Amino acid sequence: MRNSRQRWRGWLEIGSLVLLCGILGALQYRWIGEVSVAEKQRLETTLQSGLNRLSQEFNEEISLLCRAAVRGDSGDSLGRLHAWRDSRHHAGMLRGAYIARPAQGDLQLLRLNLEAMAEEPQPWPPQWEGTRRQMLARLAGERGRWGTGIRNEPTLIELPRFPRGPGPGPGFGPGPRELEWVLLDLDGPYLATVLVPELLARHLGEPAAAEYFYSVSVRNDPARVIAGNATGKPDAEVAILQPQFETIFRRGGGPPGRRPPPDNSEGRWTLAVRNEAGSLEGVVARTRRRNLAVTGGILALLLAAVGIVLRTSRQSRRLAEMQIDFVAGVSHELRTPLTVIRTAAYNLRGKMAANPAQVERYGGLIQQESEKLTALVEQVMQYAAARSGRPLQTSREPVDLASVLASCAAAHETLLREAGCEFAVEIAPGLPAVSGDSLALERAVNNLLANAAKYGAEGKWVGLSAAPAGGGGVVIRVADRGAGIPADEQAHVFDAFFRGRRAVEDQVHGTGLGLNLVKGIVEAHGGTVTVKSAPGKGTEFRILLPAAPDGGQNEFPHSAH
């Protein structure tokens, strides 16, 4: 009853631990999901914030150029732009600077040569025609808004220059009309391939920027890509190339007495970024899978530990039970011969001592029982030696198996005949010698014959045979026609302390060490031992031993068989 309660308590504890692991796994799955959502939001916010700062700095670079172009008097444009180019790190963003000046009902285009410090007339490029017509319309007094020219050329910025002094004009509101325009032709590829990557590394961080693809496209024409290789749905995007006209004219000098027109530009370019993993969702999903894998691995490790504890506890309990059975078996094995010896000694001390026939009988009985005791003690000592790591094979020399098997047969023949068993011995002539310990091999075969006499005598037949094995070596068989071994016990018959149900129920004497020692001796000789049995059809143990090297094969040509 106590063992049953302990067993149920052990199962309850293990079940509770498994349930706890399941609950922990479910909570971890939920928490990792929540963390993944928060991480995705954080990445999106951080990315968008970095792009907003990038846009602000990018546009400030453009605004600095614009303020340098319109600051001061009109005659100072060459000097100011020349000074800007010498002071700026990204002077390469300006591909060319021009003046559009009214002349005879039209607009004359003058290129500002910063090297020669001169104004050079040149024809209007075809792609600037829309910008030219827009400026002519404003000269004619037609209302319009700044920035219309970006529909034709997004990298061209037109900056109007006004006369000094108040006065009405038919321009874009109260105040003077434009005297001329400063046109800044920006180098789009330079901005997209030099300035944008530098700002990405600065505002996203170099490690993070390396994880993103980017593309720069014209806002009003998304199919027109300036640079970059980001395709598909972007993780974040921002408008860039957005000159702040109100700031430019307030600092650079607009028409006096009048507020500049509102800046309606929403950015001429769009900067889009996309993570190299496909998307931020892909990055978060990958991290989530990795976290789940780690968590699952930890839980699996815990469950494996539970399984190991369960298996170890079961093995320990089973070993403890077998050890108790072993102690009981050894006690029983010791009690019987000791009782017989004590009784025989008592009788010999009495009147039986005067009867030579009785003395001889009791002397033989004492010798027989003492041999049983010696065999039992020897078996236990061999098991102890094997457990301590000492070899069961104490010598290695050529062994004549025919002589060893003949000795074993002679030692058990009388016992088997008295039990009413037919004892069949078949030892093939010319057996190859094996290398090993003859005494150890004799003990192994004797153990098998003793088991056959003990458990298979009811079949009235026991057989011992030996023959050469294919591929070299010798095969030894010890068989009986007894009740056999159940299939579920055959895998354990060589375990230490193991005794079958039938042996326990029938109270057959034994310690459960014999077959374990047989297996140890055979394996110490480089061989194998197997069992073949079927209930009601008997049992056969088969020992396969390798032959000795060629030098030991012809040492026993005259051995008796």
Side-chain angles (χ1 to χ4, degrees):
M1 180 66 69
R2 181 179 179 182
N3 291 337
S4 178
R5 286 199 301 269
Q6 289 179 345
R7 187 179 299 109
W8 278 108
R9 185 175 64 182
W11 280 106
L12 181 61
E13 292 173 352
I14 292 173
S16 301
L17 185 57
V18 172
L19 179 61
L20 181 62
C21 288
I23 295 174
L24 181 60
L27 291 175
Q28 283 289 94
Y29 183 85
R30 177 181 176 183
W31 292 337
I32 289 175
E34 293 175 353
V35 169
S36 298
V37 172
E39 177 67 10
K40 180 176 179 294
Q41 294 175 349
R42 185 191 67 80
L43 289 175
E44 290 176 344
T45 302
T46 302
L47 179 60
Q48 190 62 58
S49 176
L51 291 185
N52 290 340
R53 293 194 302 271
L54 180 150
S55 175
Q56 182 177 359
E57 185 172 351
F58 186 97
N59 294 330
E60 181 62 24
E61 286 285 344
I62 304 301
S63 299
L64 287 174
L65 171 60
C66 294
R67 285 198 293 270
V70 299
R71 187 173 59 239
D73 297 332
S74 60
D76 295 336
S77 295
L78 278 169
R80 289 192 300 270
L81 288 175
H82 190 276
W84 171 87
R85 186 186 65 176
D86 292 342
S87 64
R88 302 304 299 174
H89 173 62
H90 290 291
M93 71 170 66
L94 181 61
R95 183 163 50 190
Y98 303 84
I99 296 289
R101 188 171 294 156
Q104 300 177 358
D106 200 353
L107 285 172
Q108 182 184 16
L109 185 63
L110 302 172
R111 179 174 176 271
L112 299 179
N113 188 335
L114 301 184
E115 302 297 334
M117 297 298 291
E119 298 179 356
E120 301 173 349
Q122 72 171 47
W124 282 87
Q127 63 269 25
W128 293 3
E129 184 61 28
T131 302
R132 174 176 170 274
R133 284 200 293 266
Q134 178 190 5
M135 290 187 289
L136 286 173
R138 292 189 57 78
L139 285 175
E142 299 179 7
R143 288 186 175 273
R145 74 178 219 181
W146 293 1
T148 306
I150 65 171
R151 299 178 183 271
N152 302 300
E153 187 58 34
T155 57
L156 181 64
I157 300 177
E158 64 273 17
L159 302 170
R161 189 181 297 281
F162 300 93
R164 293 291 178 179
F172 48 79
R177 187 177 301 167
E178 294 88 339
L179 291 177
E180 60 186 15
W181 283 265
V182 177
L183 303 180
L184 302 177
D185 183 20
L186 304 181
D187 190 334
Y190 179 90
L191 292 173
T193 60
V194 177
L195 182 58
V196 168
E198 179 181 311
L199 296 180
L200 281 172
R202 182 181 304 166
H203 294 287
L204 300 185
E206 290 188 6
E211 298 177 359
Y212 288 95
F213 298 123
Y214 80 95
S215 65
V216 178
S217 59
V218 178
R219 184 175 180 276
N220 292 332
D221 186 8
R224 187 177 172 185
V225 178
I226 307 299
N229 54 0
T231 59
K233 182 180 178 181
D235 292 318
E237 58 183 12
V238 68
I240 58 175
L241 194 52
Q242 183 177 355
Q244 305 297 317
F245 290 116
E246 183 174 359
T247 303
I248 292 170
F249 283 98
R250 183 173 63 248
R251 296 181 181 179
R258 177 182 63 86
R259 182 174 178 269
D263 178 16
N264 295 318
S265 173
E266 297 178 352
R268 304 186 181 192
W269 285 354
T270 298
L271 171 62
V273 295
R274 187 167 184 261
N275 194 277
E276 62 180 0
S279 64
L280 288 180
E281 292 181 356
V283 174
V284 174
R286 183 175 61 189
T287 304
R288 184 170 183 266
R289 287 193 298 269
R290 184 169 61 245
N291 291 338
L292 288 175
V294 172
T295 301
I298 294 174
L299 292 178
L301 184 61
L302 289 176
L303 292 176
V306 171
I308 292 173
V309 170
L310 175 61
R311 186 181 65 180
T312 304
S313 63
R314 290 181 63 185
Q315 290 177 343
S316 300
R317 185 168 58 250
R318 180 167 168 265
L319 180 61
E321 292 173 353
M322 290 192 297
Q323 288 174 336
I324 292 173
D325 293 339
F326 167 73
V327 172
V330 168
S331 300
H332 186 74
E333 290 286 318
L334 290 172
R335 185 183 299 114
T336 301
L338 287 174
T339 301
V340 173
I341 292 173
R342 185 172 60 250
T343 302
Y346 177 80
N347 290 334
L348 286 175
R349 289 182 60 192
K351 297 180 180 180
M352 296 293 182
N355 189 339
Q358 292 293 339
V359 171
E360 182 178 357
R361 174 173 172 249
Y362 284 119
L365 190 61
I366 290 173
Q367 180 182 1
Q368 180 182 346
E369 295 301 321
S370 63
E371 287 177 353
K372 289 182 180 179
L373 283 176
T374 301
L376 177 62
V377 173
E378 183 69 22
Q379 198 175 65
V380 174
M381 291 180 65
Q382 288 175 6
Y383 175 74
R387 293 290 293 176
S388 65
R390 285 180 285 173
L392 294 173
Q393 172 189 348
T394 58
S395 64
R396 179 171 292 276
E397 57 187 12
V399 177
D400 180 11
L401 276 180
S403 298
V404 172
L405 296 178
S407 176
C408 293
H412 287 81
E413 184 173 6
T414 301
L415 177 64
L416 290 170
R417 301 295 184 195
E418 290 178 354
C421 290
E422 177 186 352
F423 187 29
V425 180
E426 296 181 8
I427 302 175
L431 289 178
V434 300
S435 177
D437 186 339
S438 58
L439 292 178
L441 291 173
E442 186 174 342
R443 281 196 297 267
V445 176
N446 281 336
N447 276 336
L448 293 180
L449 288 173
N451 270 8
K454 190 183 298 183
Y455 300 107
E458 63 187 41
K460 304 301 181 182
W461 183 89
V462 173
L464 170 63
S465 65
V474 181
V475 59
I476 304 171
R477 293 181 174 88
V478 176
D480 64 66
R481 296 175 181 172
I485 303 173
D488 61 330
E489 295 182 1
Q490 293 181 23
H492 303 288
V493 294
F494 295 105
D495 295 345
F497 310 123
F498 178 79
R499 305 193 70 210
R501 290 188 298 272
R502 180 170 174 269
V504 175
E505 292 170 358
D506 296 346
Q507 296 185 350
V508 180
H509 299 333
T511 61
L513 294 177
L515 292 178
N516 179 261
L517 292 174
V518 170
K519 183 173 184 291
I521 291 171
V522 172
E523 290 181 349
H525 285 77
T528 58
V529 58
T530 56
V531 61
K532 180 180 179 182
S533 182
K537 296 183 180 181
T539 302
E540 177 183 280
F541 285 91
R542 180 176 178 271
I543 296 176
L544 179 62
L545 294 172
D550 294 340
Q553 292 300 318
N554 299 317
E555 295 189 12
F556 313 103
H558 305 294
S559 296
H561 304 289

